[in-house]
Every structure is written in C-alpha cells, then in structure tokens.
Amino acid sequence: MRLSRIRLHWVEVPLHEPFRISSGEIRVRCSILVELLANGTSGWGEAAPMPGPVYSVETPESTWEFLRKKLLPGFLDRPELDPTRCFGRLEEFPGEPFAKAAVEGAVWDLRAQQESKPLWALLGGSGQALPSGAAIGLMPTPEDLLDRVARFLAEGYRRIKIKIAPGHDVELVAAVRSRFGGIPLMVDANAAYRLEDLPVFRELDQHGLMMVEQPLAREALEEHAELQRALRTPLCLDESADSLEAVERILRLHSARIINIKVQRLGGLEPARRVHDVLRKARIPCWLGTMPELGIASAQGLHLGTLPNFAFPTDVEASARWYLGDIITPPIEVPRDGLIRLADGPGMGYRVDPEKVARYRLRVEEFVP
Ligand code: MG
C-alpha cells in the first residue's frame, strides 16, 4: 500500500447547547481531520482538542500547526502504515497526543478497509453493542439538571453522569437521588477539589454512586490514593490517566479502582489498547471517555470499547445529542434500549460524508510525498 497524499481538514460543527465543565465551556466542536489516501482508499482520523485552555495544553490551533509543520511532513518522509507500529513511529515526535491520535486513527481505518474487516476485529474486540451513558454539564439551576436527567433516562441512556464543582455537588446528587431513586449515577469533578474537601466526598459516599471521576488534581496521585482509602465509592481517574506510565503509577499507588480511557489523550488506538491490556492484567476495569469528539473519533473509540476490559457505559452519546450535524453516515444513534450498535462494514462501518465535511470546513491543506 502506497500513500499518495494526505489532506488536513479543519471543521467546526455548532453545538445545540454549550458544553460546560468546572474549568470552562465550548460552543462549537472544532475538529481537525486527517485523511490518508492510498490505493484509491481514504483512511480517516480525527483530533478533537478543546479550544482555549479549558481541558489541555493542546488547542485546535496548536494541533493544526504541529500537524502541518512537523508531524505530516515527517510522516510523509517515512510513512508507517502498519497500525500496530505506527504509534512507535509517531513517538519519534514529542508530545501532541491529539495530533498523533488523528494520524494513527487514519492508519487503522485505512488498514481495516484494505483488509475488508471491521476495525474492532483488527483491534481484538467483539463488535458487540455498547451501553451509552449521558453526561450532563453544570446546569444553571438544579431544576434544569433534573429535567435533563429525566429526558436522558427517557431516551434510553444507561447511566447518568453529572458534572460537579465546589458548592455545586452534594445537593445536586441528593436531588437526583430523591427524584429518580437508585438509577446508575456517577459524578465528574474534572479535578476541581482538594483533599481538604474530604467531608464533601464523605457525603457523596452515602449516595451509592457508580464512581467519582477525577476529584483531585491531575498529578495528585498520592492524594487520590488517600481519598480512595477513605471512601467506599470507587474513584475513577481521567485527566491523570494520560499515558501508560501514568496508569502504571496509578496502579502501584492504588489511586483509583476504575480508569477512563480517552484515545485522544493517550495518542491513539494502539496506546489506548496497551493501557487497556495493562489494566486488564491488574483487574482494574475501564470505560471509554470522550472529549466529546465528532463521528470519526467517536466511532473508532466505540470499536475499541468492545475489548473485554471495558466494563461501564461509555460517554459516547448519539451524534444528535451535541451536534447540529455530524460528518459521518449514518450518525451514531442511541436507541431506546441505550445500546449503541456499530454500523456494519469495513473500517469503522460509518462512512465519512464528503458533503458534510465540505459544509463544516473552514480550512483544508494537502500534502504530497
Ligand atoms: Mg472526565
């Protein structure tokens, strides 16, 4: 297989509503798509960093510049189209996991299409349907939150995750519990608390939550271990689990009992699969988180999410949950039973729709060997 060219697309898809977490909010999903063309086939990958310093040091601008100036010219010099080896080649360039995940995802997609196999088969997954959970950002009032919970439960979502922040935590959980009883419920703090907030977590501990996600700072692994020892509720680490080395450290310190695997943050499907394998060996279950991404990275994540150690509902939701449109056909759908069934077909099954890419595209650039 010979790489004939690479196209880089900058797309912006408006959201139905702002996505709010404890550190900021976004109103459009800006994604950078990598299209690798070889032997008449396009393999697609997606980088989905958040704009501004909301979540990570990587932004759409920095990812775009890194791809066009460094990663793609370097990759074109010596392309590695074996997806299990591509990550090693990309690691020759320091940092920038979002950009690498886009290139690596495109290489996996290309290979799966070339072999006429679904992506999950190449990754070692089962291809089974995945339970989907709805994530609800910080809402203006508790009533708004309860309305959302009611809506998502009616739509079929298999668990509810609510974002919390200091001063907006225990009473929200108590309100959801008193209205909806023992539904599968979890909270995500996005690192907004400190160990001194232990009394808050002791109260949350009374509410039978599935897990508390990333209560403390990213680097606070000892503190997470201490907090975990004080609670019955499992802690789940997300922001902290940003590399295989970090995950190994989390395991050594017993900082958490669950890990949120984000393909973007880990730099691709292969590094994410390695983290999955290490966790499986350590008997620490994981689940698939999101940025949230558009259809390409979401679909590829869903394929990975059928590996055996993914044990909780995924954060991947229906395309229509966030976006006024998506760039794949069919869109990702969550039916009334809350189980996402992967689209059939080689590669990711879903087809990237060139008309939709063109509709939402702000910039495009082409690279030829
Ligand atoms: Mg999270």
Side-chain angles (χ1 to χ4, degrees), residues 79-90:
E80 177 53 81
L81 297 181
D82 177 337
T84 60
R85 287 208 304 257
C86 176
F87 172 62
R89 169 82 179 98
L90 298 175

Side-chain angles (χ1 to χ4, degrees), residues 13-14 16 294-295 319-320 322-328 331 356 359-360:
V13 177
H16 290 296
L294 292 177
S319 296
W322 289 109
Y323 308 119
L324 292 169
D326 205 336
I327 49 171
I328 56 165
K356 288 183 182 161
R359 186 186 313 160
Y360 296 117

Side-chain angles (χ1 to χ4, degrees), residues 78-329:
R78 198 159 45 81
E80 177 53 81
L81 297 181
D82 177 337
T84 60
R85 287 208 304 257
C86 176
F87 172 62
R89 169 82 179 98
L90 298 175
E91 281 299 281
E92 294 168 23
F93 303 83
E96 304 287 347
F98 292 77
K100 289 172 183 170
V103 175
E104 207 250 9
V107 169
W108 277 102
D109 183 37
L110 200 57
R111 172 59 64 99
Q113 290 185 65
Q114 187 202 21
E115 293 189 10
S116 296
K117 285 183 183 159
L119 179 57
W120 58 260
L122 263 67
L123 289 165
S126 67
Q128 71 195 11
L130 260 76
S132 173
I136 306 174
L138 295 166
M139 301 301 291
T141 70
E143 290 68 38
D144 292 322
L145 171 65
L146 295 174
D147 287 349
R148 286 307 157 90
V149 174
R151 195 177 100 199
F152 290 125
L153 289 174
E155 287 179 12
Y157 286 95
R158 292 277 183 120
R159 67 102 172 98
I160 298 293
K161 158 164 143 178
I162 64 175
K163 298 283 184 178
I164 58 168
H168 304 275
D169 38 47
V170 177
E171 80 288 359
L172 297 179
V173 170
V176 173
R177 276 285 181 244
S178 98
R179 170 88 75 91
F180 301 99
I183 59 164
L185 180 66
M186 60 179 282
V187 295
D188 185 0
N190 290 105
Y193 292 82
R194 299 184 309 160
L195 199 51
E196 293 74 56
D197 298 311
L198 180 62
V200 173
F201 293 102
R202 284 202 198 281
E203 285 192 63
L204 289 173
D205 207 24
Q206 306 306 311
H207 286 281
L209 299 171
M210 291 175 86
M211 66 189 87
V212 173
E213 187 177 344
Q214 196 70 42
L216 312 177
R218 185 179 67 83
E219 62 282 4
L221 298 187
E222 281 94 352
E223 290 85 347
H224 275 109
E226 195 175 333
L227 181 59
Q228 179 65 92
R229 282 193 295 275
L231 302 176
R232 280 177 304 177
T233 309
L235 297 186
C236 168
L237 288 181
D238 174 5
E239 282 88 340
S240 298
D242 60 358
S243 67
L244 182 60
E245 296 68 37
V247 168
E248 284 170 337
R249 200 154 167 257
I250 290 165
L251 294 176
R252 272 199 308 278
L253 293 169
H254 304 286
S255 308
R257 295 187 195 143
I258 301 170
I259 297 293
N260 175 348
I261 289 191
K262 283 188 176 158
V263 175
Q264 298 274 312
R265 185 184 49 221
L266 292 167
L269 293 162
E270 179 63 21
R273 180 165 72 163
R274 291 182 192 182
V275 167
H276 164 276
D277 293 350
V278 164
L279 291 170
R280 189 181 187 205
K281 222 171 143 191
R283 295 171 189 263
I284 294 290
C286 59
W287 55 280
L288 180 76
T290 67
M291 292 308 298
E293 300 98 331
L294 292 177
I296 296 172
S298 297
Q300 293 175 353
L302 289 171
H303 282 262
L304 182 80
T306 72
L307 267 69
N309 197 44
F310 285 89
F312 297 95
T314 172
D315 262 354
V316 175
E317 299 161 303
S319 296
R321 153 75 162 105
W322 289 109
Y323 308 119
L324 292 169
D326 205 336
I327 49 171
I328 56 165
T329 308

